[in-house]
Amino acid sequence: MTVVGPFGLSVRDQALEADVQAGMAAVEEGLLAATKSEVPFITGAAQHLVRAGGKRFRPLLVMLAAQFGDPYAPGVVPSAVVVELTHLATLYHDDVMDEAEVRRGVDSANSRWGNSVAVLTGDFLFARASHILADLGPEAVRIQAEAFERLVTGQILETAGPRDGRDPVEHYLDVLSGKTGSLMAVACRFGAMMSGADETVVDVLTQYGERLGVAFQLADDVLDIASDSHESGKTPGTDLREGIATLPVLHLRERAERLGLPEDLALCALLDSDLTDDARHAEALAGLRVHPALEQARRDTIRYAEDARAALAPLPECGARASLMELCDAVVHRAG
């Protein structure tokens, strides 16, 4: 049983495995070509995270979704390159906003070259993605533009916080739908659409991608607290240090407000303190790692992954459907 894709996804269908492997290899070549500039410095900065590796989760979704039509259709690989370039560009920008020092197990671009270079490199990647999109037709451009608007809106809403009277957990889940779910949905939509799959199949896979995207980000939230940097490839507790309340923190605050337990209130007070102090940051991480709020966030991850699995029900049984279902299990496993 050969392993392909992120999280050690195993593909039992040999023909499907060959298609996915070939598609992912072509995407890798496409990423290197798209990030090459006549200016060597720009090439180095643009390829920094490409060469660092990563799960290539979104291109994998494109390849699997394309199996419901013609997986060799000419738009499949370029659309996978587009979604991964867009994702990579957001990472450059995210690391600037988060002041992150590590990404994918290497120095972040901002810590190596400074914020200006990191932001401009992200912009360069967006430009290259747009260039490829132009050859895929106006419908693809429109879909990508709408998804990008949702992605940016989600990021802004995360920064602004919930409006008065809005449940913080509901607000946060809406943020994740935009920030992460939108691009995962586009990956599935592009794969199915570019392969010429039936419109009903395109809609099913789009819904699946959105739900899986939220589960994926929730798993990331759990990993940010529960894992070390070797496991996650980035600095643990980055969101904590920046004062970003992810789902485990939101569940803690809700529990503290509802039950008023001294230990919960004390941990909330610690989270509200200056966590740029390494000792306080380490104490906050340790407290959350053993708190029931982390387990509650794991349960939410499982729920969204199960919702994604359920969305696949209308699709015919085949190797691609089985692999998409296995991705749901892999996301849950990733959250522990």
Side-chain angles (χ1 to χ4, degrees):
M1 188 182 299
T2 306
V3 173
V4 299
F7 317 131
L9 174 67
S10 56
V11 177
R12 295 168 178 82
D13 182 321
Q14 289 187 347
L16 171 60
E17 179 187 322
D19 282 349
V20 171
Q21 295 266 22
M24 296 294 279
V27 169
E28 211 64 29
E29 291 179 8
L31 287 172
L32 289 174
T35 50
K36 188 174 182 180
S37 166
E38 294 180 357
V39 181
F41 178 79
I42 295 176
T43 300
Q47 293 186 351
H48 179 61
L49 290 185
V50 174
R51 294 188 180 279
K55 295 172 284 293
R56 301 290 189 261
F57 194 48
R58 291 152 191 83
L60 178 65
L61 289 175
V62 175
M63 295 304 137
L64 290 174
Q67 291 293 320
F68 294 90
D70 175 10
Y72 311 112
V76 172
V77 169
S79 69
V81 173
V82 165
V83 292
E84 187 65 9
L85 282 175
T86 304
H87 171 59
L88 287 169
T90 65
L91 297 185
Y92 280 83
H93 289 180
D94 282 352
D95 286 346
V96 171
M97 290 188 292
D98 297 342
E99 298 180 1
E101 296 181 357
V102 178
R103 170 70 71 174
R104 295 184 171 177
V106 299
D107 291 343
S108 62
N110 49 295
S111 66
R112 177 171 292 195
W113 293 294
N115 287 347
S116 294
V117 169
V119 169
L120 291 169
T121 301
D123 293 344
F124 175 81
L125 296 180
F126 284 133
R128 288 296 174 89
S130 298
H131 185 80
I132 297 169
L133 263 173
D135 292 330
L136 297 178
E139 178 69 1
V141 173
R142 183 186 63 79
I143 290 169
Q144 174 75 356
E146 289 174 353
F148 190 51
E149 179 183 344
R150 288 188 61 207
L151 191 158
V152 173
T153 299
Q155 188 68 65
I156 292 171
L157 288 175
E158 181 180 62
T159 304
R163 64 180 183 271
D164 290 345
R166 179 86 196 278
D167 176 35
V169 171
E170 286 183 10
H171 170 83
Y172 184 65
L173 292 173
D174 281 349
V175 164
L176 296 194
S177 291
K179 238 180 77 169
T180 306
S182 61
L183 198 55
M184 296 276 198
V186 164
C188 291
R189 187 171 182 178
F190 274 169
M193 187 177 86
M194 296 298 169
S195 72
D198 183 81
E199 190 61 37
T200 303
V201 172
V202 174
D203 290 343
V204 165
L205 288 167
T206 302
Q207 291 175 39
Y208 164 83
E210 176 108 8
R211 296 173 191 179
L212 187 70
V214 175
F216 182 89
Q217 186 58 55
L218 292 178
D220 251 14
D221 288 354
V222 172
L223 271 177
D224 186 57
I225 291 169
S227 72
D228 57 29
S229 58
H230 176 73
E231 259 185 289
S232 63
K234 57 185 179 183
T235 307
T238 296
D239 290 328
L240 280 185
R241 196 182 291 276
E242 293 303 308
I244 298 171
T246 57
L247 196 61
V249 173
L250 293 173
H251 280 320
L252 164 67
R253 294 194 190 285
E254 185 278 330
R255 175 185 160 108
E257 184 177 339
R258 178 167 45 86
L259 300 178
L261 298 177
E263 58 269 29
D264 291 349
L265 294 171
L267 184 52
C268 285
L270 178 61
L271 292 176
D272 289 335
S273 68
D274 181 10
L275 293 185
T276 59
D277 178 84
D278 288 342
R280 276 197 291 268
H281 182 256
E283 185 183 352
L285 260 183
L288 277 171
R289 282 171 175 168
V290 297
H291 196 277
L294 185 61
E295 184 56 37
Q296 191 173 354
R298 283 195 176 100
R299 290 196 298 272
D300 289 330
T301 304
I302 293 169
R303 176 166 57 87
Y304 270 91
E306 287 303 315
D307 285 348
R309 175 193 288 272
L312 296 171
L315 296 181
E317 289 192 17
C318 60
R321 180 176 180 265
S323 294
L324 290 169
M325 288 181 132
E326 190 172 336
L327 280 179
C328 299
D329 298 333
V331 166
V332 169
H333 177 73
R334 186 164 170 258

